């Protein structure tokens, strides 16, 4: 991609880990994987962008109530997870919702002042006939979708269709694939254009080996999405997968153990 403009605004990007799930196998992460029975851990993140006084939260995690309902415990309430950054829940006035799955939209109600940025296709998907299928509905929770609808009726939700600018140096790009209206977030940083893939790539290996993740709505969109992530980022090292524990090894520790600083670039390279 093109280089950064001299003097252009750059953003801090923090990856905030709030949960992990380690009793998983590679078959849970990759379709058609030869080594399907091998263990494969997963981390759960939300992300925070900051430039001067402007703060944008990317996804919200999920709370203890959702954790109990799904039998998937969290290590930190999303509000507590933000605390070391000096940010209160009331400070959050903007949230980019990459998609409406429970682990990304499950904390919307915790940030009552937030204006939401969502793809049209994601709301249509989460409230449409596809939700009549249990398999497609499984990663969604009705109360999270209702919270997004409530925010819409309060005038606190903007729809985006495809590519859209949220702020100087922050754009969203609809990829679909894993969920119909999944959007990634491209951010201008000191290290170059960084792309928060969210679930357009759960792991580095989804992209580098072009291996689809098993939760998929449109396989062609998912595969096309891997190439799109590469086009949007200044380098492959600046594609940040949504759930890969490797992120915490490749990038430096942030202001707390569960926070990783992404905008200065990696401290070691991914081996592909
Ligand atoms: Zn997802
Ligand atoms: Zn996810």
């Amino acid at each position: 991609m093109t280089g950064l403009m001299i003097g252009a605004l750059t953003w801090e990007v923090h990856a905030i880990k709030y949960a992990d799930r380690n009793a998983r196998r590679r078959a849970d992460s990759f379709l058609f994987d030869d080594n399907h029975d091998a263990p494969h851990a997963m981390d759960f993140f939300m992300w925070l962008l900051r430039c001067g006084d402007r703060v944008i939260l990317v996804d919200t995690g999920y709370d203890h109530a959702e954790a109990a309902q799904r039998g998937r415990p969290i290590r930190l309430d999303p509000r507590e997870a933000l605390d070391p950054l000096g940010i209160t829940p009331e400070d959050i006035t903007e949230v980019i919702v990459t998609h409406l799955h429970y682990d990304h939209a499950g904390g919307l109600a915790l940030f009552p002042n937030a204006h939401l940025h969502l793809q049209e296709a994601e709301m249509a998907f989460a409230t449409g006939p596809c939700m009549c299928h249990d398999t497609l509905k499984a990663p969604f929770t009705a109360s999270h979708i209702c919270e997004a609808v409530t925010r819409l009726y309060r005038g606190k939700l903007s729809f985006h269709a495809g590519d859209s600018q949220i702020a100087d140096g922050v754009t969203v790009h609809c990829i679909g694939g894993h969920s119909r209206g999944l959007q990634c977030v491209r951010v201008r940083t000191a290290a170059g254009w960084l792309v928060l893939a969210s679930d357009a790539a759960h792991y580095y290996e989804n992209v580098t080996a072009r291996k689809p993740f098993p939760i998929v709505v449109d396989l062609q969109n998912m595969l096309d999405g891997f190439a799109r992530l590469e086009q949007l980022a200044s380098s492959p090292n600046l594609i940040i997968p949504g759930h890969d524990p490797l992120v915490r090894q490749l990038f430096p520790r942030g202001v707390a153990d569960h926070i990783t600083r992404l905008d200065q670039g990696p401290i070691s390279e991914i081996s592909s």
Side-chain angles (χ1 to χ4, degrees), residues 99 103-104 178 199 202 243:
H99 61 309
D103 55 320
H104 298 260
H178 166 73
D199 290 358
H202 289 66
H243 288 275

Side-chain angles (χ1 to χ4, degrees), residues 39-269:
H40 205 242
M42 177 176 268
D43 279 355
F44 289 73
F45 295 99
M46 46 206 264
W47 301 270
L48 187 106
L49 316 179
R50 183 156 57 186
C51 179
D53 288 341
R54 189 152 179 196
V55 168
I56 302 174
L57 186 64
V58 178
D59 292 339
T60 61
Y62 61 98
D63 59 10
H64 287 289
E66 179 72 11
Q69 224 156 41
R70 290 195 179 250
R72 294 182 172 181
I74 52 174
R75 290 189 182 275
L76 287 170
D77 174 280
R79 293 165 295 191
E80 277 174 60
L82 288 174
D83 193 52
L85 290 158
I87 289 168
T88 68
E90 291 71 30
D91 292 338
I92 299 295
T93 55
E94 271 182 292
V95 175
I96 297 174
V97 184
T98 65
H99 61 309
L100 287 167
H101 284 173
Y102 77 96
D103 55 320
H104 298 260
L108 289 176
L110 307 177
F111 303 102
N113 298 333
H115 185 103
L116 311 184
H117 297 280
L118 185 68
Q119 288 283 325
E120 286 178 22
E122 186 67 0
M123 184 67 100
F125 183 55
T127 55
C130 281
M131 294 303 110
C132 298
H133 300 290
D134 286 344
T135 307
L136 292 173
K137 191 174 64 182
F140 296 94
T141 297
S143 59
H144 306 159
I145 312 305
C146 292
E147 182 61 35
V149 173
T150 301
R151 221 54 79 96
L152 170 65
Y153 275 74
R154 282 174 52 204
K156 292 183 81 68
L157 185 146
S158 297
F159 283 118
H160 301 275
D163 301 336
S164 192
Q165 177 160 316
I166 306 298
D168 184 2
V170 180
T171 52
V172 293
H173 306 271
C174 189
I175 284 187
H178 166 73
S179 188
R180 191 62 77 187
L182 169 69
Q183 55 187 350
C184 70
V185 184
R186 184 179 190 239
V187 190
R188 194 195 291 119
T189 71
W193 289 106
L194 177 138
V195 176
L196 296 173
S198 182
D199 290 358
H202 289 66
Y203 294 91
Y204 288 103
E205 193 174 344
N206 294 119
V207 183
T208 56
R210 294 297 197 263
K211 283 186 184 168
F213 190 82
I215 298 176
V216 56
V217 173
D218 187 317
L219 191 50
Q220 183 177 11
N221 281 354
M222 183 179 280
L223 292 166
D224 287 345
F226 297 148
R228 189 78 205 285
L229 295 173
E230 290 172 339
Q231 286 163 359
L232 290 168
S234 289
S235 81
N237 284 314
L238 295 177
I239 298 170
I240 310 299
H243 288 275
D244 199 330
L246 266 180
V247 171
R248 285 164 49 77
Q249 293 175 30
L250 298 175
F251 287 83
R253 181 190 185 274
V255 293
D257 268 344
H258 67 283
I259 298 178
T260 303
R261 184 78 185 255
L262 302 178
D263 54 283
Q264 313 285 350
I267 44 180
S268 52
E269 308 267 303

